[in-house]
Amino acid sequence: MPSNQPLRISSDVPALSEFSLIDRFFARRAARAASPVALGIGDDCALIAPRSGKLLAISTDMLVEGRHFFADVAPGALGHKALAVNLSDLAAMGAEPRAFTLACALPRADEAWLAAFSDGLFALADRYGCALIGGDTTSGPLNLCITVFGDVDAGTALRRDAARDGDDVWVSGTLGDARAGLGVARGEWAAGARAAVAFRAALERPEPRIALGRALAGVARAALDISDGLAGDLQHILDRSNVRAEINADAVPRSAALATLAPDVQRRCTLAGGDDYELCFTAPAAARAAVGAAGAAAGVAVTRIGTIRALSAPSERPAIAWRDAAGAPLSLTLHGFDHFHAD
Ligand code: ADP
Ligand code: MG
């Protein structure tokens, strides 16, 4: 693409050119991540050498101001989250992160903002040895688009279409805190000071479950990361695998902070929240000990919440049957987050 106009900090400060901006805040720091890429930033394309016996896992996620984050969010948290939501997709596939590209539209070249943003971004990238290998930079309304590249052993990728009759359904960590934090920010409900801090951390700094995803590759069957709420996301596994599920709504794990809110708010946040970035996965009952060992090795709690069942007739649609702790059916109308419908 042709270069855009220089990005101006303000009228009395010299313009920071697109190239010096890329160099200072992205290219120079990218060199720190030690990932086995063949050619990084600076040429027309980056080159990645696939490792033998592995498949490349590729995913893109875009973050748009006003839609995915508030205009005044701390830039360090935004840098973290922009990469975290992408790494979460690699985790859900059982893949190991290797590299990423960053395409960004920036309203202005604010040096303090860029420094904090790239600090947050590279702190997470360096932790997972995931190298920034290219991107695109333009002026415009704030928009961040990252593509991640990972690899996974051929045959062990955790696909959405792999759930089978009798599988246990599991989730990692706890669900609902990020949605609770959004509700506090929007004034939908109030929380005590300590709970509010926990909710905000969950919303702004999700931790991609990379170690768990890799430990589950070859153990679990189907998996995905919960970005739009458990109800909507588990439905994707059911649709792709052509099965149904029985889920104990009361078994869905929640944090001590979430347990301080009203029961109906807890249920809404855990089952139909969003921005959780925990893994939901299925595994045969015979793999229970192996799933527990994978969680222990990754340092992440794993909780069994239900069972996959075969459809009883070809006309039956894949769906979730919700039950409470006593096994009584619950009729819940829950929908995952959909950008083209009001939530
Ligand atoms: P092109 O003209 O081929 O689009 P650019 O001039 O946009 O290339 O970018 C020059 C180099 O800088 C390329 O290697 C590109 O991948 C890299 N780059 C541009 N923006 C970013 C960014 N935000 N982060 C990392 N690398 C970037
Ligand atoms: Mg370009």
Side-chain angles (χ1 to χ4, degrees), residues 69 91 94 116 118 135 151 193 220 237 307 309 342:
F69 57 90
S118 63
D151 61 17
I237 288 183
T307 309
R309 300 281 181 217

Side-chain angles (χ1 to χ4, degrees), residues 200-254:
R200 193 166 164 175
L203 185 61
E204 294 190 348
R205 293 202 170 257
E207 185 60 35
R209 298 304 190 194
I210 295 289
L212 179 63
R214 293 188 60 202
L216 289 172
V219 172
R221 283 202 175 115
L224 49 56
D225 65 320
I226 306 172
S227 53
D228 298 332
L230 175 66
D233 283 330
L234 175 56
Q235 185 66 43
H236 296 314
I237 288 183
L238 305 184
D239 289 336
R240 297 295 300 264
S241 301
N242 207 32
V243 291
R244 61 192 179 86
E246 288 164 3
I247 303 294
N248 175 355
D250 292 328
V252 177
R254 66 208 65 190

Side-chain angles (χ1 to χ4, degrees), residues 1-3 18-19 22 135-137:
M1 290 245 307
S3 306
E18 177 188 333
F19 296 105
I22 295 168
D136 198 26
T137 306

Side-chain angles (χ1 to χ4, degrees), residues 100-174:
F100 69 105
T101 61
L102 167 67
C104 50
L106 304 170
R108 68 196 81 81
D110 178 332
E111 299 195 31
W113 190 96
L114 279 161
F117 174 81
S118 63
D119 280 350
L121 182 81
F122 285 109
L124 184 63
D126 292 351
R127 258 204 290 137
Y128 288 107
C130 192
L132 178 62
I133 56 167
D136 198 26
T137 306
T138 177
S139 58
L142 186 56
N143 188 327
L144 302 160
C145 184
I146 287 180
T147 298
V148 281
F149 302 84
D151 61 17
V152 60
D153 285 328
T156 65
L158 302 170
R159 299 163 50 129
R160 295 180 179 188
D161 61 6
R164 296 290 173 265
D165 183 31
D167 278 4
D168 294 320
V169 180
W170 299 78
V171 294
S172 67
T174 61

